[in-house]
Amino acid sequence: MSVYIYKAALSHFGNSKKNIINLIKEAVYNLNVDVTDVDALFIGLMNPEEFTGVGNIASYITDKLGLYKIPAVRIETASSTGAAVLYYAYSAIKSGIYKNVLVIAAEKMTDMPTSKVTKILSEVIHPLERKTGASMPALAALVTTRFAYENKLKKEDLKKLLFAVAEKNHFYGKFNVFAHFKKEIDFETYSNSKMISSPLCLYDCAPISDGAAVIYLSSEKGEVEVLGVGQGTDRQALSERSIITSFESTKVAANQAFKMSDISPKDIEFAEIHDAFTPFEITGLVDIGLVPRDKILKFYDEKQGYHNGLLPVNISGGLKSRGHPVGASGLAQVVEVFRIMMGDYSDEITPSRCDVALTQSIGGIATNNFVIILKRRSKTVKSQYNLSKNNRVKKERLSKTPRIHSFTRLYVTPEGVEAPLDLIMVKRKQKKFLARYVDKKSPKIGMSLDVFKGDDGILYAKAKQKGFGILKKFRKR
């Protein structure tokens, strides 16, 4: 049994005065179709209890939409919630339980100050890492610093690479009527923006947004087919993974989706990649096998991710420009693919080939990721999937001495944590963990450390001095 997208729509994304219900109603209104004939309602919101103070949200939304007689369920997988709700709605139709399903994903976030939102979002992080003061931008920054080290990128080269992502996505945001940001940025604007968590600045991070997305999914009607889906998970703690610059959860999800579709990455004609942080677009392309690791710099240097390039990426503006209402973003990506395939974008930015597409959504710090492949119903794809082996990361040699594996300075901290905060990922033998860095000496990858446990239970680290070691009692003076 095939599963199709019959209709798809968005509310406006941004800083809205509307409450969560009215955002959803706006998206349903934009759907422009009678939804009273659906068999069930699948709803995705990441954290409505804290963002809006509303619990039992599936019943609440079903009631407000006048659909209270049909089955309804809420699904949540952190920032990949929107993709997860489509995944499980697809599964329900594929199994034959339902024929027509309404899929909704939304989030209302802007009523709170940034520090409070940052704290709520950080609740998806492993408790031990969160205890150090780590936030999502801080963990993304640790990934980025390590990525630059492994790929031998100088500071300025890394900045140009990250800017290339932000520049492209802001360029396309101006063409998206639903986008939070509709203005282009130049290198000077990017370089002068506020540092969030080094090396990530303001324009490397998706905005706090409100918004809703809705899809009418059917086994009978629709021009766009959901060809394949995949879901992968990983250790919740970033420091407990053998490699932090490549997300195993993305690779697993991509492998599943390509096998189900029986196609190859080379058949993908355009993609929507989770870019809550600019480096995640880069690592996503590599992990999925869309761009070889050794070709990624060339990909951005030659603007191959633009609508007229080799592989258009995030030509909707992505999370970076369209906005990132966390629960809605994964479903919004699929809506954007549908809109592009149906010709809802102007000809001047629509790819010449737009019959087969892929979306990738990241949950938390890549703990619960999804890949979804879609194609136009009339399109025939004949090639077969063959997993690339060229994107593996080389393992480093082990050391008995605690050393810096990656580092960042966090300037926008969660509520209750003093800024700025220097965080490092420490590696000793095969183990990694987070610690606060409390030395005047600038941190560098590979630097030897003395690590202490404070009275507050938090790990601290300094540049190594003779006679010290690991996990000695640290007394603040």
Side-chain angles (χ1 to χ4, degrees), residues 410-451:
L410 179 62
Y411 293 88
V412 181
T413 53
E415 186 180 54
V417 179
E418 188 177 347
L421 176 65
D422 287 312
L423 285 175
I424 58 174
M425 182 174 287
V426 181
K427 184 168 185 179
R428 182 176 182 263
K429 295 184 178 179
Q430 292 181 327
K431 282 194 170 186
K432 294 194 289 290
F433 53 88
L434 295 193
R436 293 184 179 181
Y437 186 70
V438 289
D439 203 311
K440 292 181 180 180
K441 188 175 181 180
S442 297
K444 292 182 180 180
I445 290 179
M447 179 188 290
S448 299
L449 298 167
D450 291 319
V451 182

Side-chain angles (χ1 to χ4, degrees), residues 43-58:
I43 299 166
L45 290 102
M46 175 176 151
N47 202 333
E49 291 83 2
E50 291 202 63
F51 284 130
T52 65
V54 179
N56 193 18
I57 197 76

Side-chain angles (χ1 to χ4, degrees), residues 227-247:
L227 195 62
V229 296
Q231 178 183 10
T233 61
D234 206 341
R235 304 292 295 270
Q236 187 182 19
L238 182 66
S239 57
E240 290 181 357
R241 303 175 200 172
S242 59
I243 296 170
I244 68 170
T245 56
S246 179
F247 297 150

